[in-house]
Amino acid sequence: MASGLVERLRGLIGGPITSAFGCIVALLLLGSLYSSSFLSPEYLLQQLKVASFLGVIATGAMLVILLGQIDLSVPWVVAVGGMMATAATGWGPWGSAFAIPFGIACGVALGLLNGFGVAFLRIPSMIVTLAVNAVAQGLMVVHTGGFSPQDASSPAMRFIATGHGLLGIPNALLVWAAVGAGAVFVLTRTGFGRCVYAIGNRERAAYLSGARTRLVVMAAFAVAGGLSAFGGVLLAGYASKAAQAMGDPYLLPAIAAVVLGGTSILGGRGHYLGTVAGVILITLLQSILSVMQIEEWGRHLIYGGVIVAMLLLYGRAAPTR
């Protein structure tokens, strides 16, 4: 048992997780050449706060990728979560009290639709999630009449997104820590987590071993939808309102953060610590490129190049778990 733990730790230390954290250190050192504030506790805490929104969304993306699937409905599920939560605040005190769970529930419903299409209708996840993304977009256009949403976020949404808790730690970071702790527990200590890894390695073998693979796939997509919607709730609280395109910047970064952290795009292999490293890496990269005042086309070129390079190095390994 002890030797197995040693081997597991050795795999964590010697793989892409170490490389991702190494890149984080390199980015901080590079940024410190432009401003000493890059290494200040205030700057680091602010970056972790910004990373929290992406981290919550990437947690759901990781769950789906571990299955060997992909979720391309993230942009509008994020928007649905934020827009429905803010819409609920216009229904009076009760609506404001239930705004956060209502936004999350809408995301879970869309995730269940994704999961049903993949698990029972056997539609490729890329196709069904794109379709659900389009459906969500259409529903939100109907809801708003094509105009920018006028509803404001509730005090509770603003508190968890912008407030500070113990020792001045941002509440958003505490929320991400809680979500991450829950994800680690589920993936490493529950039968559901073991089934997720087993399905990602070989779904047929998992089915023949007695796993209820279709229900696990549906549940995983539902959780991913709920977390994407929760990310939208946090973003709406951070900005005090929702916007129709609020989820657009999070599709590629969420998937890239998961894969950059060592989770196989083929499914069946990955550790949540790697996703944490990937989220922080992408957040720092975006921040530093902005501070360096590189032109927009240059930012996209460097940002995309770094992601592609690391995906080529670590993103195509076969499942080994």
Side-chain angles (χ1 to χ4, degrees), residues 121-231:
L121 302 182
R122 311 306 291 179
I123 303 173
S125 58
M126 182 178 294
I127 303 301
V128 69
T129 56
L130 274 176
V132 169
N133 188 66
V135 168
Q137 180 180 6
L139 290 174
M140 290 303 97
V141 170
V142 171
H143 168 66
T144 62
F147 298 98
S148 177
Q150 300 301 311
D151 300 304
S153 58
S154 68
M157 292 168 62
R158 291 191 292 271
F159 176 73
I160 64 173
T162 63
H164 291 76
L166 185 66
L167 301 177
I169 299 175
N171 289 338
L173 183 56
L174 295 175
V175 168
W176 181 25
V179 169
V184 170
F185 176 80
V186 168
L187 289 173
T188 61
R189 294 290 183 266
T190 67
F192 173 80
R194 289 189 289 272
C195 285
V196 168
Y197 280 105
I199 293 171
N201 276 306
R202 191 178 293 272
E203 182 176 0
R204 183 171 180 81
Y207 174 77
L208 293 175
S209 69
R212 305 179 71 176
T213 55
R214 290 183 176 181
L215 293 181
V216 171
V217 170
M218 276 197 68
F221 272 98
V223 172
L227 288 174
S228 291
F230 188 30

Side-chain angles (χ1 to χ4, degrees), residues 87-111:
T89 62
W91 302 341
W94 280 103
S96 183
F98 287 97
I100 295 176
F102 179 67
I104 295 173
C106 290
V108 170
L110 292 172

Side-chain angles (χ1 to χ4, degrees), residues 75-100:
W76 278 94
V77 175
V78 169
V80 165
M83 293 170 70
M84 290 294 94
T86 55
T89 62
W91 302 341
W94 280 103
S96 183
F98 287 97
I100 295 176

